[in-house]
Amino acid sequence: VGGPAMQTSQKDFNNAVSQLKLLKEDPGNEVKLKLYALYKQATEGPCNVPKPGMLDFINKTKWDAWNALGSLSKEAARQNYVDLVSKLSASSESPSPEAPAADRKQPESDSLVVTSGDGITTIRLNRPTKKNALTTQMYHDIIAALQAASKDESPITVLTGSGDYFCSGNDLTNFTSLPAGGPEEMARSSAVLLRDFVNCFIDFPKPLVAVVNGPAVGISVTILGLFDVVYATDRATFHTPFSHLGQSPEGCSSYTFPKIMGSSKAAEMLLFGKKLTAQEACAQGLVTEVFPDSTFQKEVWARLKAYSKLPPNAMRISKQIIRDREKEKLHAVNAEESNVLRERWLSDECMNAIASFLSRKSKL
Ligand SMILES: CCCC/C=C/CC(=O)SCCNC(=O)CCNC(=O)[C@H](O)C(C)(C)COP(=O)(O)OP(=O)(O)OC[C@H]1O[C@@H](n2cnc3c(N)ncnc32)[C@H](O)[C@@H]1OP(=O)(O)O
């Protein structure tokens, strides 16, 4: 680091600080945290202030990030800061690689990719380095993608993931960017977002298939109870660590899971966070069929392509008959679960669990 670091002048650093304010896109919380830490290190040197208390989430996370830079020199921190800002400026100026389809609003971030072809609209979670954890933006993008898919030409809609995970559930850093209204406002807006997100799955009018390409955690497991068909690789696992996180069930799972697998198996998952293998999830009715990982993609897509040639109106109407009987109940359950979670998110149990996940991160 010594050589190039020495070449970064104070002027380059000041320019980078100004350039950052001109970025067209929000770089996201993790990058902002990194920038904060590098800025502090570059201007004040190694972290020299007392660690904030456990429940002072934001300041503790910032402190952890700064402290994690250890004895990095001011010059090296300046260089890293300048490099990072220049990378961000370059990527925010590069044009989008794909022209938006005329009838579909493209997702706001590249963490979600929506494509259509062979009679199938595929919504792909595309944040593999974070195990496809769902950011707030991704919830909004999935809602928009489902609304568009409900009106598009494809008879079948699929949700799947990129990389080795299907999805690691809610991105736990979502809870660290507190709005002006503080934790209460954060909990309120998250509950509204959760309710709207789950409502889209309840109301989705066509066959909705989950292609579970790897382990699934939290909300990515619970919503499976609202899909019509769930295909899983034999590498997939399914767990909902709600109690570990001081949280409670969502995605209508407090209603769908007992119905699908019986109350005691559902309780083992929802209360104790028991992790199921793909075979177990299939035996309990949460998964429709399990495929060997080596042939998973080939077999599943071949089958879905064949199904997509079935008469689309017949499939919609059949789904409607099945779903309509349950809709009112599902909406009521969703509203209740979202309200309960709103309070849970403000509990010490939940705050401590999230703080503990975040401090695990900062040590990595
Ligand atoms: C507004 C609506 C709210 C709806 C609420 C829903 C409730 C839930 O979904 S509860 C479930 C929440 N999810 C979790 O508790 C999972 C947390 N993650 C993990 O336990 C582990 O990361 C893993 C078991 C998924 C994977 O472990 P592994 O050792 O293989 O990989 P890691 O090194 O831990 O992960 C790589 C990378 O990804 C980050 N990451 C993974 N999952 C999340 C997550 N859920 N939130 C935030 N970040 C996540 C992880 O920190 C690593 O990041 P770095 O490389 O930067 O360290």
Side-chain angles (χ1 to χ4, degrees):
V1 185
M6 301 305 287
Q7 290 158 18
T8 307
S9 65
Q10 186 63 40
K11 192 168 160 220
D12 291 335
F13 180 68
N14 293 344
N15 284 344
V17 173
S18 315
Q19 209 179 342
L20 186 63
K21 296 183 188 132
L22 301 175
L23 281 187
K24 291 187 193 119
E25 282 170 26
D26 185 324
N29 286 338
E30 277 163 54
V31 175
K32 284 196 277 195
L33 197 57
K34 208 165 174 182
L35 286 164
Y36 166 83
L38 288 170
Y39 180 89
K40 294 293 275 184
Q41 193 86 4
T43 53
E44 295 178 38
C47 182
N48 55 1
V49 295
K51 185 172 182 167
M54 186 77 159
L55 293 182
D56 188 358
F57 267 150
I58 297 194
N59 287 322
K60 186 177 162 301
T61 307
K62 287 161 106 178
W63 186 93
D64 283 337
W66 181 13
N67 191 48
L69 294 180
S71 57
L72 186 75
S73 70
K74 280 185 171 186
E75 290 76 15
R78 226 160 46 195
Q79 173 74 49
N80 292 351
Y81 184 95
V82 169
D83 289 347
L84 182 52
V85 172
S86 121
K87 212 165 104 196
L88 291 170
S89 304
S91 67
S92 90
E93 273 154 28
S94 60
S96 159
E98 279 175 42
D103 60 342
R104 189 188 298 288
K105 186 173 173 297
Q106 290 300 300
E108 296 279 327
S109 89
D110 55 12
S111 300
L112 196 74
V113 176
V114 184
T115 49
S116 292
D118 290 319
I120 303 167
T121 289
T122 303
I123 302 172
R124 184 179 295 275
L125 309 174
N126 188 38
R127 216 179 156 225
T129 55
K130 299 290 177 188
K131 311 290 181 193
N132 296 324
L134 298 172
T135 60
T136 301
Q137 184 60 53
M138 286 166 78
Y139 287 105
H140 288 291
D141 285 343
I142 294 169
I143 291 173
L146 286 171
Q147 284 168 346
S150 71
K151 294 183 217 114
D152 73 13
E153 296 289 304
S154 306
I156 291 181
T157 304
V158 166
L159 181 71
T160 190
S162 296
D164 61 343
Y165 257 66
F166 176 57
C167 173
S168 62
N170 189 42
D171 189 312
L172 295 172
T173 66
N174 289 343
F175 293 116
T176 57
S177 44
L178 281 188
E184 285 77 16
E185 174 55 21
M186 189 268 308
R188 193 202 62 78
S189 61
S190 301
V192 170
L193 180 59
L194 171 64
R195 195 199 56 207
D196 292 350
F197 177 76
V198 174
N199 275 344
C200 282
F201 288 89
I202 297 173
D203 292 331
F204 196 71
K206 325 172 170 177
L208 185 59
V209 179
V211 172
V212 183
N213 56 300
V217 188
I219 191 163
S220 71
V221 176
T222 57
I223 52 167
L224 296 178
L226 297 169
F227 279 68
D228 302 297
V229 166
V230 178
Y231 293 139
T233 159
D234 59 8
R235 258 190 339 99
T237 55
F238 300 82
H239 81 297
T240 51
F242 298 135
S243 299
H244 300 72
L245 291 166
Q247 299 187 27
S248 51
E250 26 65 354
C252 293
S253 58
S254 62
Y255 175 69
T256 57
F257 277 26
K259 216 166 152 247
I260 292 169
M261 57 186 83
S263 53
S264 77
K265 293 287 186 193
E268 216 178 5
M269 278 194 87
L270 297 175
L271 274 53
F272 300 147
K274 182 180 181 194
K275 188 186 281 185
L276 301 188
T277 62
Q279 295 296 356
E280 287 167 339
C282 190
Q284 290 177 20
L286 184 63
V287 165
T288 314
E289 191 169 334
V290 180
F291 298 79
D293 194 53
S294 54
T295 55
F296 176 61
Q297 297 289 345
K298 198 168 150 227
E299 286 194 61
V300 163
W301 292 107
R303 193 179 296 187
L304 290 173
K305 274 181 206 169
Y307 288 159
S308 74
K309 297 195 171 65
L310 291 167
N313 291 336
M315 289 197 284
R316 282 178 89 109
I317 286 166
S318 299
K319 169 153 186 176
Q320 203 179 329
I321 295 179
I322 299 169
R323 181 53 56 95
D324 275 2
R325 212 167 289 132
E326 291 278 54
K327 247 189 197 171
E328 205 178 317
K329 177 75 184 169
L330 290 170
H331 281 300
V333 171
N334 183 26
E336 189 190 349
E337 288 177 348
S338 302
N339 273 338
V340 172
L341 259 174
R342 177 180 170 176
E343 284 172 24
R344 280 279 90 211
W345 284 325
L346 296 171
S347 69
D348 286 351
E349 286 181 347
C350 178
M351 291 196 187
N352 289 340
I354 292 171
S356 132
F357 178 79
L358 295 177
S359 57
R360 180 201 82 135
K361 266 174 67 81
S362 67
K363 282 191 209 109
L364 290 175

